[in-house]
Amino acid sequence: MALTFFRGIKTCPLVHYPSAYFARKNGFFYCTTGSTETQFATQEKQQSGDSKVVPKTYRKSPDKLLKDYEAIIGIETHVQLNTSTKAFCGCPYSYGAQPNTSICPVCMGLPGALPVLNSKVVEYAVKLGLALNCKLSMDSKFDRKQYFYPDLPKAYQISQFDVPIAIGGYIDIDLPVEFGGGHRKFGITRVHMEEDAGKLLHTGTGNYSQVDLNRAGVPLLEIVSEPDMRTGIEAAEYAAELQRVVRYLGVSNGNMQEGSLRCDVNISIRPIGQQEFGTKVEIKNLNSFSSVSRAIDFEISRQVQLHSQGQADQIVQETRLWEEGAQKTITMRKKEGLSDYRYFPEPDIPGVTLSEEYVDGIRSSLPELPEIKRRRYENMGLSMQDVLFLANDINVAEFFDATIANAADVKLAANWIMGDIAAYMKNEKLSISEIKLTPLELGELIASIKGGTISGKIGKEILFELMAKGGTVQGLIKEKDLVQIVDRSEIEKMVDKVLADNPEQLKQYRGGKTKLQGYFAGQVMKASKGKANPKLLNQILLEKLNTET
Amino acid sequence: MLSSIQSPRLLRLSTLHQIPLRCLQTSTTPVPTPSSPQPTSQILKIRKSLLSRETTAVEIAKTFLSRLRRTEPQLKSFLYVSPEDAVLKQAEEIDRKIRNNEELGPLAGVLAGVKDNICTSDMPSTAGSKILENYTPPYDATAVKKLRENGAIIVGKTNLDEFGMGSTTEASGYQVTANPWDLSRVPGGSSGGSAAAVSAQQCAVSLGTDTGGSVRQPASFCGVVGLKPTYGRVSRYGLVAYASSLDVIGCLGSSVADTGIVLQAVSGHDKFDATSSKQGIPNFASQFIPKDYLDSKPLKGLRVGVIRETLADGVDPDVISSLQHSVSHLEDLGCTISEVSFPSFSLGLPAYYILASSESSSNLARYDGVRFGNQVFADELSSLYGDSRAEGFGSEVKLRILMGTYALSAGYYDAYYKRAQQVRTLVQKSFRAALEENDVLISPAAPSVAYKIGEKKNDPLAMYAGDIMTVNVNLAGLPALVLPCGFVEEGSSVLPVGLQMIGAAFDEESLLKIGHIFEQTLQGYSFVPPLVGDDF
């Protein structure tokens, strides 16, 4: 289904099409119209922010000031789908490939070439729509969004305008405990399918720019949130949850650094109690969740500062860039009214009609989603901290689920994974799927300790062996002769021997130096090569020490 | 001009019926070349002479090429002619196959012209625009690929109005093609080069494209057969888009059979065109029964509807006479004639121009100087775009881009684009209803015969009005066949008139059958222009 076709045409555009670059004199072209805007969502509710509600409050501290305002935050997220071919042609896409090596007449926008929809894109869109609790449009269509920019070879982006594939959903979030915790539900305005644009390569010194069309035509899902978020951390968690959802669904790698998940934040502030929205500012260039959070916090204080100083009119509708180095937002471009994208229905692609059977098939194949997983873990009695840790990464969650599926103790399994295993992964810079330990063996290990076959200490030793080299718990126990000694008479023999070998210390003990109990215990444990059951050992040792013969 | 066409002057059916056949023949229809044979299929003729070893593919190619060389300086139908050795090499390959008794494609040795807005990997494909000057695509259009697979030899790329926008070839970025019947007249457009080339036998058949009549109107002007298939019948992959929802690749030939055989070759679903249809393709050739085997009333019981609005004010009286003559001829063949009224007919023209312009403004946006066209140096990106496009596009294209951009602009979309789409739905409904009552509908292919070069150049509305007969068919996506049905005398010239037959969706078969019988039984006409002379 995904691989609709491969075109048999190989082109080397930089040779065949020498005009695939364009000259620039001033070193940098400003994009006059952004490619990632939507005319929906937060925008239509926004109004001019010139209100003079708040009197000058110079004396208030910044923190106190912030309490008088609330921020209205909405996010547009672009998720790049990991389909094996592009949205409308048979070209594969791999991040970081040589420029213009994965292109064909279709994604190059050559005259006469036509787009043919990759059905996998629809499948992924339906998956995400369902996962975000949206209502699906059983009859949707594609539209052309028209603007000129050199990275857009057709001068229009195939997108969805008035009938997006999914609308009106929501997403559940559990805020991290260290940020006060709490559950939130944020609205999803819409999810729609569209294609990505290419990339411009600006030469540092030269007076021209080059166009790389590898990314042109790669499928995207744009997810527009309701303006429901109020703080940077809420926004960051919204984005993180979206990342979790797309990773759980397997529709995208959700990698922010590679641009597989891109967030544009819309933010305005208003004095608490005011009904109208303030002037909206858009922030771009957010490459991590923490930059989402920090950029918003910066922007909130910037806007509150201006507003409280009677300079609300300086908050203008604009796009600002987050500068990671300086930790601040700067003006990228000011908006001159709304751009007119002259949307109209894409005549080259027939309408997309979903059947009930198709949707039901996808619905029944959905994996357990993060929110459901978290609730399940919570009901198992795990703390929210544990729940968030385990459910954060689909691979960790699957490892955990597989471990407890083997009847392992839930709390113990969580502790092992979050403790020694997580530490090892961090040190070795490995993911949970890269370590040699299998969930089955972790379950075995936990059972072996719980059942007393081995001690916790030995369990730890075995764990590292299992993570680094693999193998089975049983095998290692046998191989290293690590079975715990629980035979009373055997331990008694060892105790007797230690007491006999240390008459001087025994004398001292019995003379009142009871601290020496630890010494004896150590000696016995040493003699047992660490295998003696500590509880039994101490019990026998005490008995013998305190029984004068 | 538009309004004069829109105001309906009813031509009563009773009048139509009362005109006796002989009266029509004597009073209005000049007969230029008496007692000529019926049009014969060039393709079948070539095939027959090759298989009987009467001649060789090389000889046939040489004949066409020499005629092409002789007539081309006057006609200018080609923007690019394949080098002679390339053509002869392909012909030799066919001769080799014949010698070895290898299987021959249905178009083996047939020299075909291809409109220059259809991509060819071995020839420039400029769509008649300076903005694509010297552009050679890296791939063959599906239709071209299929022509080649069927054995056809592509002889060159034919002239057109830039991107198909025009009705005369005067809007070509390179040259104006002349009408082989009168060199001072236009061949029609936008497939004027393809029609003129077939008319003058510079090639046996050709591919054109039809967005609002661009195959049918030039076929009418040049006295050849033009077939506009159902939208989706032929893949558009490799057709340089003008208006994607209306564009269709069509066939031109000197007989109905030729267009049918070419259609057979280029039809079919294409995975590279999502709008191409998976409808089965009947064997069109089975319709081409030789004249001698026809019954006396071969079209008995066939219901033919005459579209009343196409015989209204603004239509040349001689054209109307020719149509009436055709009606009589169809009656003689056994057809039942009735009149059909299309209240929405005149709305089709403005709706067409809004939709086509809107789509073209989008389709042509990619020619921005970054990859296509001469890149003009500029300080700002917007000037680079503006200056490059200003230099590369001709005025008719600019006019339509402006109209389309306006119609799609925020605040105007509902008033123009959306309303035009509503008209389109209305037109589709009207056709559906009319085609339930009738097997085919007929009308003139154009309101006039070929006019003088320059006559309507500065009056775009007059030129647009000439598309009144054809645009509705594109809005409805239906198949239509235009074939010569008579002549009109204009001064010293004798100019052909085309009859349009419109069929139900994907029923090209009926059109070809009726057209073939009509053509084979029409007495006393020969549609070979004087330019070609006796060597044909």
Side-chain angles (χ1 to χ4, degrees), chain A residues 431-452:
Chain A
S431 75
I432 202 153
S433 37
E434 287 165 328
I435 61 172
K436 300 270 168 54
L437 173 73
T438 65
L440 189 72
E441 292 308 315
L442 178 60
E444 190 68 28
L445 187 67
I446 292 167
S448 299
I449 296 167
K450 211 178 174 189

Side-chain angles (χ1 to χ4, degrees), chain B residues 265-286:
Chain B
V266 298
S267 291
H269 176 69
D270 180 8
K271 63 181 179 179
F272 294 131
D273 175 5
T275 62
S276 70
S277 167
K278 289 180 177 161
Q279 281 273 338
I281 307 156
N283 182 6
F284 299 128
S286 66

Side-chain angles (χ1 to χ4, degrees), chain A residues 223-241:
Chain A
I223 302 116
V224 182
S225 83
E226 289 290 308
D228 288 350
M229 288 144 270
R230 295 292 174 266
T231 64
I233 197 71
E234 282 186 354
E237 280 306 311
Y238 164 85
E241 182 69 6

Side-chain angles (χ1 to χ4, degrees), chain A residues 7 19 25 108 111-112 144 340, chain B residues 139 238 272 362-363 370-371 410:
Chain A
R7 283 166 209 284
S19 58
K25 276 186 177 168
M108 290 168 77
R144 291 184 183 178
D340 183 359
Chain B
Y139 69 104
F272 294 131
S362 174
N363 285 329
V370 174
R371 287 177 310 144

Side-chain angles (χ1 to χ4, degrees), chain B residues 429-442:
Chain B
K429 278 185 188 160
S430 307
F431 267 117
R432 207 171 302 136
L435 284 164
E436 272 166 23
E437 308 281 307
N438 296 281
D439 297 305
V440 288
L441 304 174
I442 62 167

Side-chain angles (χ1 to χ4, degrees), chain B residues 143-458:
Chain B
V144 170
K145 192 168 141 259
K146 289 191 169 195
L147 278 187
R148 294 194 208 264
E149 283 166 2
N150 279 275
I153 300 169
I154 313 294
V155 69
K157 303 301 290 290
T158 56
N159 192 27
L160 69 156
D161 294 289
E162 188 175 359
F163 289 106
M165 298 178 183
S167 311
T168 62
T169 73
E170 290 165 295
S172 166
Y174 299 94
Q175 64 198 28
V176 180
T177 300
N179 191 315
W181 292 86
D182 176 346
L183 296 173
S184 70
R185 288 174 189 270
V186 298
S190 62
S191 312
S194 290
V198 169
S199 173
Q201 285 299 304
Q202 295 177 311
C203 54
V205 292
S206 63
L207 290 185
T209 64
D210 193 315
T211 307
S214 283
V215 161
R216 290 160 290 158
Q217 182 256 22
S220 175
F221 280 16
C222 293
V224 298
V225 181
L227 174 59
K228 176 227 172 273
T230 312
Y231 184 84
R233 180 63 101 184
V234 181
S235 168
R236 290 186 294 119
Y237 189 69
L239 157 57
V240 179
Y242 158 22
S244 313
S245 75
L246 302 159
D247 291 341
V248 173
I249 290 181
C251 325
L252 294 117
S254 48
S255 66
V256 173
D258 283 346
T259 61
I261 296 167
V262 172
L263 179 66
Q264 190 92 54
V266 298
S267 291
H269 176 69
D270 180 8
K271 63 181 179 179
F272 294 131
D273 175 5
T275 62
S276 70
S277 167
K278 289 180 177 161
Q279 281 273 338
I281 307 156
N283 182 6
F284 299 128
S286 66
Q287 301 302 330
F288 308 130
I289 302 162
K291 189 188 168 191
D292 300 342
Y293 294 90
L294 294 175
D295 300 335
S296 62
K297 299 265 182 206
L299 296 178
K300 196 168 187 328
L302 191 87
R303 299 165 304 166
V304 175
V306 183
I307 302 172
R308 179 202 288 168
E309 287 77 4
T310 62
L311 301 174
D313 240 357
V315 182
D316 195 307
D318 290 337
V319 169
I320 294 179
S321 311
S322 286
L323 190 95
Q324 287 164 339
H325 180 240
S326 301
V327 165
S328 306
H329 183 54
L330 284 167
E331 274 188 318
D332 285 348
L333 293 169
C335 298
T336 320
I337 312 286
S338 63
E339 196 184 61
V340 176
S341 177
F342 262 79
S344 60
F345 195 83
S346 62
L347 297 177
L349 196 62
Y352 164 80
Y353 272 97
I354 286 168
L355 295 176
S357 301
S358 297
E359 290 184 22
S360 72
S361 73
S362 174
N363 285 329
L364 271 56
R366 71 190 65 187
Y367 310 108
D368 58 7
V370 174
R371 287 177 310 144
F372 303 108
N374 187 20
Q375 189 175 104
V376 176
F377 249 92
D379 287 338
E380 278 179 52
L381 192 51
S382 61
S383 319
L384 183 154
Y385 286 141
D387 296 351
S388 303
R389 285 163 71 80
E391 196 184 283
F393 287 137
S395 58
E396 182 63 33
V397 170
K398 286 175 191 162
L399 181 66
R400 296 197 195 191
I401 290 175
L402 284 172
M403 286 198 295
T405 306
Y406 182 82
L408 289 176
S409 297
Y412 297 97
Y413 180 88
D414 287 354
Y416 294 104
Y417 186 86
K418 207 170 162 190
R419 278 187 74 196
Q421 283 288 25
Q422 287 162 349
V423 169
R424 184 172 192 171
T425 309
L426 204 65
V427 168
Q428 285 164 344
K429 278 185 188 160
S430 307
F431 267 117
R432 207 171 302 136
L435 284 164
E436 272 166 23
E437 308 281 307
N438 296 281
D439 297 305
V440 288
L441 304 174
I442 62 167
S443 79
S448 73
V449 291
Y451 40 86
K452 292 273 188 187
I453 290 171
E455 194 178 323
K456 295 188 180 175
K457 210 180 171 187
N458 298 316

